[in-house]
Amino acid sequence: MDGLTVTEVVKNVVDIGITPVLLIIFIVFFIQRTKDDDSRVKKSNADAQKAIREREDTLLAESARREELIRQEAEKRENLIRKEAEKRESILMANQDRMLNSLDKITDSIAKIEQSLTKMESRHEQDIKELKNQMHSLEDKITDRKGGG
């Protein structure tokens, strides 16, 4: 009934009557309108689905961009932490080297002190021997004077 002309409508009104013709036109109109509504709903749904997909794609792209930024920031932080750790490690190693050098100097000083003490001890032993010898000699002299005197 898409191509229903005014002449055909008037002819049908005369042949059938106005109420059935109007009822048929009304039914055809609503069927046609329903088909149009269905196609509009389908088109609207398709448009909505397309918009939803575009929105999802946009959100996924934005999420991927954020994740990339987070990953880059994490790499920057990791590199910064690694550099800081390397710097601290080198400082610790330098301090340890200085401490080892100081310990070496202390060890050398202690060795020199030991040598000096050993020399002093041997000199004291010699001095003690000399004192003993002098005392024996004095005792001998005293004994000789008492005995000879």
Side-chain angles (χ1 to χ4, degrees):
M1 289 205 84
D2 289 339
L4 199 62
T5 62
V6 175
T7 324
E8 290 174 342
V9 170
V10 171
K11 180 182 170 200
N12 285 332
V13 166
V14 171
D15 290 343
I16 302 173
I18 191 154
T19 304
V21 171
L22 286 177
L23 185 60
I24 291 172
I25 291 173
F26 183 75
I27 291 171
V28 169
F29 172 76
F30 275 103
I31 289 174
Q32 188 65 33
R33 188 167 179 179
T34 303
K35 286 180 184 176
D36 290 345
D37 287 347
D38 285 345
S39 66
R40 275 188 301 208
V41 166
K42 285 180 185 177
K43 184 179 184 239
S44 176
N45 284 343
D47 290 345
Q49 289 294 328
K50 183 180 176 185
I52 289 171
R53 271 188 245 110
E54 288 175 357
R55 178 74 175 152
E56 286 176 350
D57 291 345
T58 303
L59 290 174
L60 288 173
E62 186 66 24
S63 176
R65 189 179 68 80
R66 280 190 201 124
E67 286 179 17
E68 181 63 22
L69 286 174
I70 290 169
R71 188 188 61 75
Q72 289 174 355
E73 285 298 317
E75 283 179 4
K76 286 179 185 177
R77 281 191 212 114
E78 185 179 329
N79 288 335
L80 186 64
I81 290 169
R82 188 179 309 116
K83 286 178 184 177
E84 189 66 28
E86 288 171 359
K87 190 186 300 181
R88 287 182 182 170
E89 184 179 348
S90 67
I91 290 169
L92 286 173
M93 293 300 285
N95 286 340
Q96 188 176 11
D97 287 344
R98 273 184 263 165
M99 286 172 39
L100 286 174
N101 288 337
S102 296
L103 288 174
D104 287 343
K105 289 178 184 177
I106 290 169
T107 304
D108 290 343
S109 297
I110 289 173
K112 288 177 184 176
I113 290 170
E114 283 181 15
Q115 284 177 342
S116 296
L117 288 174
T118 304
K119 286 179 185 177
M120 285 173 53
E121 193 175 292
S122 66
R123 268 189 262 139
H124 287 306
E125 285 177 9
Q126 285 177 353
D127 289 344
I128 290 172
K129 283 181 186 177
E130 281 181 33
L131 282 173
K132 283 182 179 179
N133 288 338
Q134 287 174 358
M135 286 176 67
H136 282 300
S137 133
L138 281 174
E139 285 176 356
D140 289 342
K141 285 182 185 179
I142 292 173
T143 310
D144 284 345
R145 285 195 181 169
K146 283 185 181 180

